[in-house]
C-alpha cells in the first residue's frame, strides 16, 4: 500500500505556562476567526482564532491533562483551559476535543484563517484588516454544519 499523503510532523500545542501540551497526528481544518461578543470574552481578545481537528486525526494530551478545567459554553459544546495560567486550549463537543485555539499551537498548524465571521458584531475598538474574507453574521452553510463551540 502506498500512502499518497505528504508526511508531516505532528502539530503540537501548549498553554502559556507550559504545563499542558498536546499533539495532533493529522490535520486541522476550517480555521476561522469569530468576532461575536461571546468569542471576545472567551478568547480575551478581538476575536476567536480556532480550527477544527480533522475527524481522521488523533488528538493526544502529552502533558498536564490534570491541569485542564472544562467550561460548558452551550449544550454539548465547551472549552478547556489551563487552571494555572488561563490559556484556552481547545473546544470540546460532548467531552471530546473538537478543535484547538490557534494561539496555543506551537509552530505552523498547516492552516490559515479562511474567514472572519460575525464581523457586524465586532468590538468598536477593532479595525478589520483589509482584504480578508468576512461575513456579517454566521459562516456559509458548508461550515455551519460543523460549527465551532463558541
Ligand atoms: Zn498553563
Ligand atoms: Zn463567536
Amino acid at each position: 500500500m502506498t500512502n499518497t499523503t505528504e508526511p508531516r510532523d505532528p502539530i503540537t500545542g501548549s498553554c502559556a505556562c507550559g504545563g499542558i501540551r498536546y499533539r495532533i497526528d493529522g490535520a486541522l481544518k476550517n480555521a476561522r476567526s469569530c468576532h461575536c461578543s461571546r468569542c471576545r470574552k472567551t478568547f480575551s481578545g478581538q476575536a476567536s482564532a480556532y480550527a477544527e481537528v480533522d475527524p481522521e486525526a488523533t488528538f493526544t494530551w502529552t502533558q498536564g491533562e490534570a491541569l485542564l478545567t472544562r467550561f460548558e459554553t452551550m449544550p454539548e459544546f465547551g472549552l478547556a483551559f489551563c487552571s494555572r495560567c488561563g490559556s484556552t486550549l481547545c473546544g470540546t463537543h460532548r467531552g471530546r476535543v473538537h478543535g484547538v485555539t490557534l494561539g496555543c499551537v506551537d509552530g505552523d498548524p498547516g492552516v490559515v484563517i479562511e474567514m472572519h465571521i460575525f464581523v457586524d458584531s465586532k468590538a468598536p475598538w477593532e479595525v478589520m484588516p483589509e482584504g480578508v474574507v468576512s461575513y456579517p453574521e454566521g459562516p456559509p452553510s458548508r461550515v455551519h454544519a460543523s460549527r465551532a463551540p463558541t
Side-chain angles (χ1 to χ4, degrees):
M1 296 289 280
T2 307
N3 186 350
T4 53
T5 55
E6 281 181 44
R8 188 181 194 287
D9 290 337
I11 296 164
T12 60
S14 56
C15 62
C17 75
I20 300 172
R21 296 184 185 280
Y22 64 76
R23 67 180 273 169
I24 299 165
D25 293 283
L28 293 173
K29 62 172 193 171
N30 294 339
R32 68 255 192 185
S33 181
C34 179
H35 298 251
C36 80
S37 59
R38 194 171 55 216
C39 285
R40 290 205 299 278
K41 295 285 188 191
T42 301
F43 291 81
S44 310
Q46 86 280 18
S48 67
Y50 187 84
E52 292 171 31
V53 176
D54 190 286
E56 306 274 294
T58 305
F59 182 97
T60 313
W61 296 109
T62 54
Q63 185 186 305
E65 188 175 358
L67 285 172
L68 281 174
T69 296
R70 293 167 193 275
F71 175 70
E72 196 160 276
T73 53
M74 63 176 77
E76 299 190 344
F77 284 96
L79 293 159
F81 55 93
C82 176
S83 59
R84 193 159 69 192
C85 70
S87 291
T88 302
L89 288 133
C90 69
T92 57
H93 180 230
R94 296 180 178 173
R96 296 194 51 150
V97 174
H98 164 277
V100 295
T101 56
L102 291 171
C104 283
V105 171
D106 296 319
D108 183 357
V111 289
V112 296
I113 288 177
E114 296 169 15
M115 64 176 74
H116 292 256
I117 59 174
F118 288 97
V119 169
D120 271 6
S121 305
K122 76 177 182 64
W125 43 263
E126 184 185 9
V127 179
M128 288 294 296
E130 278 181 38
V132 298
V133 176
S134 64
Y135 299 95
E137 293 184 343
S141 55
R142 176 180 68 85
V143 175
H144 200 242
S146 54
R147 64 186 179 150
T150 54

